[in-house]
Amino acid sequence: MQRHDSEVLIIGGGLAGIVCALQLLDRGRRVLLLDRDAHTNFGGLAKESFGGLLMVDTPLQRKQKLRDSPELALQDWLAFGAFDTASTQPGHPYYWPRQWAEHYVNDSLEHLYHWLKARGVGFLPLPLWVERGMGPGTRGAARGNSVPRWHVVWGTGQGLVAALLGQLERHPQRDRLALCFGHKVEGLLTTEGAVTGCHGVAEGEAGVQPFEAHAPQVVIAAGGINGGDLSLARQYWHADWGQPPASLLNGSHQFADGTLHHATQGVGAQLTHLQNQWNYAAGIAHWRPRKPRHGLSLVPPKSALWLNARGERILPPLVSGFDTRDLVTQVCAQPQGYSWQLMNRQIALKELAISGAEFNPSIRDKRKLGFVLDILRGNRWLLNEVLTHSSDVVTARTLDELADKMNALQGTSDVHADTLRAVVHHYDAEVAKGSASQDAQRQRIAQLREWKGDRLRTCKAARIIDEKAMPLIAIREHIISRKSLGGIQTNLDSRALDAGGQPITGLYAIGEAAGFGGGGMNGLRGLEGSFLGGCIYSAQRAARAMA
């Protein structure tokens, strides 16, 4: 039996665990960090992310003359997350999530923006405007982000993690940090009701060995529940979405399997809002999978036609950038639970993107010229990669040929060329009307293009049938699991709470394990960027409390 001892034990080497360790070293604490993965994957899912953070009233926003404030951000947050007015009362299911939301928007400038800048992390000059909300009188949330708040790290999530790992390795107190990889934690240890450590198995060249780790303060930073075991994503599938689709893909961490959630339950901690998952509607299978059902999350082209399994246009039209959760809801309601996006090469070059560091090399590697060329000429490298390797894409010169290939790909005869023809001709006629079009998709695109960050990557008036823009492209898209918005309930010190709302001695939870704070600080929906932001912020609060 291996035995480890420290002052603080952190279980999980993702962004939250790294930040917590960094902050504890600042305070002179001895820290042991355990991670189930290999050292080469230190940083977890954050390392693979695009690297966007929600921050409020930043210098970058002010430079663009964007008027933002914590008060406005909180109003947007509460409306989008579907918090009710009673959530201000202790004992309400959303009491702690609301407390976390309020503190996050008030503290993001100092504790996220300035804290990261001081550690060498930079951002793209234009904040992006995502999750705008569907607007009054339409389905979905009445209100989302009132202004652009999504700040993308120059270097993506890979650069963010690299900068913080560099700080960790160069820390003056580095000798107080012990790192153990390949350690699978299976349960928690308690002494007279207090959590005092964990136990599990170490997997290495010498085989599998049991271990125990002991510390008076234990931090759970092991991620969410809906990636390593898709059966849990299905178990907690939200009622709004009906039955989970058979083609569900995995966009989360392969070890995010709920083991530590169940372990904390075993010592009395409360799990809340696990049904509030943050999934995406435009997933395709990864052609170089690193885990079972490995999926990639497309940034769905706004000028593409979003169709159901029969090739019929989904109405009202689906357009990304307004309400990600609503896209999932509408696709899940369609026959077979998957969808198609129909576009041409010109639209794909300008608008198609894949979320994450892997498929955004110009930003990831900080190549300014490459980034500018991708915007001006279209992302040719990415489109060629998708067309060459993806098993979810077909191309054709005509709609008849495209319908045949869509059916062949799916192994059905559901798509009829006449259906595609009617849909495409109707839409192209609306494009020809210009600003007089009453088509909701055309109106949404016009709204998006009012912000220059969207105008750069959104076609103004792109017809589907255009001989100069061929070939036609159809992408089969699946729901992809991504993040758990619920988790271990915590107070503002990131201390795990029992059924009576009291802190469990010695137990803390941070990052996605805690629903990014409080057991679900986003509520029903997230304004995007509060995920990486929540990992950093909850880790900081835990470290301050432990010190």
Side-chain angles (χ1 to χ4, degrees):
M1 172 76 73
Q2 296 180 10
R3 180 183 171 104
H4 308 276
D5 293 276
S6 191
E7 292 179 345
V8 180
L9 167 62
I10 300 173
I11 304 173
L15 179 61
I18 291 168
V19 172
C20 191
L22 194 55
Q23 295 277 271
L24 288 167
L25 292 183
D26 287 347
R27 292 160 172 81
R29 304 297 300 277
R30 276 195 311 118
V31 179
L32 168 64
L33 190 151
L34 304 178
D35 194 80
R36 184 176 172 183
D37 215 335
H39 193 178
T40 53
N41 296 323
F42 198 8
L45 204 62
K47 191 175 180 180
E48 301 177 20
S49 73
F50 192 47
L53 292 96
L54 183 145
M55 297 181 288
V56 180
D57 195 24
T58 66
L60 290 178
Q61 286 178 300
R62 294 175 207 154
K63 189 173 182 179
Q64 297 297 328
K65 297 182 171 55
L66 297 169
R67 294 186 178 183
D68 199 8
S69 69
E71 294 76 20
L72 178 62
L74 183 61
Q75 291 172 21
D76 294 346
W77 188 306
L78 297 179
F80 205 57
F83 287 79
D84 60 40
T85 54
S87 59
T88 57
Q89 302 302 314
H92 188 280
Y94 277 115
Y95 174 75
W96 285 113
R98 184 189 175 111
Q99 295 294 309
W100 274 89
E102 186 167 350
H103 281 77
Y104 181 104
V105 296
N106 278 286
D107 290 345
S108 68
L109 177 61
E110 177 184 353
H111 293 285
L112 296 179
Y113 183 84
H114 288 307
W115 189 84
L116 288 170
K117 290 287 284 185
R119 283 154 183 80
V121 177
F123 300 93
L124 296 181
L126 275 180
L128 299 182
W129 201 346
V130 295
E131 303 306 317
R132 298 172 179 228
M134 299 297 288
T138 58
R139 65 166 188 243
R143 175 178 185 162
N145 278 311
S146 297
V147 297
R149 296 191 176 104
W150 201 50
H151 296 66
V152 176
V153 173
W154 180 234
T156 70
Q158 184 170 303
L160 170 65
V161 168
L164 296 180
L165 286 180
Q167 292 276 316
L168 202 60
E169 288 300 323
R170 297 189 298 270
H171 200 282
Q173 304 286 341
R174 175 61 180 84
D175 61 336
R176 291 178 172 268
L177 172 66
L179 300 172
C180 292
F181 295 93
H183 279 58
K184 179 184 178 182
V185 176
E186 297 177 324
L188 298 177
L189 302 173
T190 59
T191 305
E192 297 179 352
V195 175
T196 55
C198 69
H199 65 88
V201 292
E203 303 163 328
E205 293 180 0
V208 177
Q209 283 187 294
F211 76 87
E212 287 186 356
H214 298 263
Q217 293 171 316
V218 177
V219 185
I220 307 299
I225 65 161
N226 60 340
D229 184 355
L230 285 178
S231 67
L232 285 177
R234 297 176 186 277
Q235 177 183 337
Y236 292 105
W237 200 251
H238 200 283
D240 290 353
W241 295 337
Q243 293 298 313
S247 61
L248 183 66
L249 296 175
N250 180 9
S252 187
H253 198 284
Q254 62 176 329
F255 296 142
D257 59 6
T259 298
L260 271 297
H261 288 73
H262 297 143
T264 60
Q265 261 189 317
V267 299
Q270 297 299 295
L271 303 182
T272 59
H273 311 298
L274 291 181
Q275 76 281 8
N276 292 348
Q277 300 175 35
W278 192 248
N279 299 330
Y280 294 98
I284 61 174
H286 201 312
W287 46 90
R288 293 187 292 270
R290 298 185 295 275
K291 53 196 170 188
R293 303 289 302 165
H294 190 176
L296 296 168
S297 181
L298 300 186
V299 179
K302 279 103 176 151
S303 300
L305 289 173
W306 213 318
L307 314 175
N308 67 17
R310 294 190 290 261
E312 302 160 340
R313 192 179 185 194
I314 300 174
L315 296 172
L318 303 187
V319 183
S320 65
F322 294 90
D323 187 339
T324 293
R325 188 179 189 277
D326 182 66
L327 297 178
V328 175
T329 304
Q330 300 309 319
V331 171
C332 284
Q334 301 303 314
Q336 311 305 320
Y338 71 90
S339 60
W340 295 92
Q341 277 203 295
L342 172 57
M343 68 202 80
N344 57 41
R345 179 178 174 82
Q346 176 184 307
I347 292 171
L349 277 173
K350 191 172 185 68
E351 298 187 10
L352 181 66
I354 298 178
S355 180
E358 183 179 3
F359 292 93
N360 290 278
S362 294
I363 301 175
R364 181 193 65 216
D365 301 335
K366 301 183 182 181
R367 293 190 275 111
K368 292 182 180 179
L369 179 58
F371 178 53
V372 171
L373 289 176
D374 286 346
I375 292 175
L376 295 178
R377 300 168 51 199
N379 198 335
R380 301 183 182 191
W381 169 83
L382 176 64
L383 181 57
N384 288 339
E385 185 84 355
V386 171
L387 294 180
T388 302
H389 299 292
S390 176
S391 60
D392 288 302
V393 178
V394 294
T395 64
R397 299 292 303 183
T398 68
L399 290 172
D400 291 87
E401 182 188 1
L402 192 69
D404 289 341
K405 288 188 173 182
M406 292 165 72
N407 286 327
L409 180 63
Q410 186 61 25
T412 68
S413 57
D414 293 340
V415 179
H416 297 285
D418 288 343
T419 302
L420 296 184
R421 228 180 324 273
V423 166
V424 169
H425 289 173
H426 178 270
Y427 180 75
D428 284 354
E430 290 297 319
V431 173
K433 293 178 183 177
S435 59
S437 173
Q438 295 301 303
D439 184 87
Q441 183 171 352
R442 299 301 311 150
Q443 293 173 339
R444 292 282 182 204
I445 288 172
Q447 183 182 348
L448 288 165
R449 285 178 52 84
E450 290 175 0
W451 172 240
K452 52 189 167 183
D454 286 308
R455 191 160 59 245
L456 289 170
R457 298 300 299 267
T458 307
C459 299
K460 181 179 180 180
R463 292 179 291 116
I464 303 297
I465 302 298
D466 181 349
E467 286 304 317
K468 297 178 182 178
M470 290 299 183
L472 296 170
I473 300 170
I475 304 178
R476 181 180 57 184
E477 297 174 348
H478 315 275
I479 305 299
I480 180 169
S481 73
R482 191 65 173 167
K483 303 176 182 77
S484 305
L485 295 191
I488 303 163
Q489 189 178 58
T490 60
N491 64 14
L492 288 170
D493 288 332
S494 292
R495 298 187 67 183
L497 303 178
D498 64 18
Q502 297 302 308
I504 297 171
T505 303
L507 185 60
Y508 298 76
I510 58 177
E512 191 174 353
F516 303 102
M521 73 171 182
N522 288 282
L524 187 63
R525 300 175 185 81
L527 289 174
E528 279 287 8
S530 56
F531 312 131
L532 292 181
C535 288
I536 296 170
Y537 185 59
S538 59
Q540 292 171 333
R541 294 195 73 98
R544 287 199 297 271
M546 283 185 279

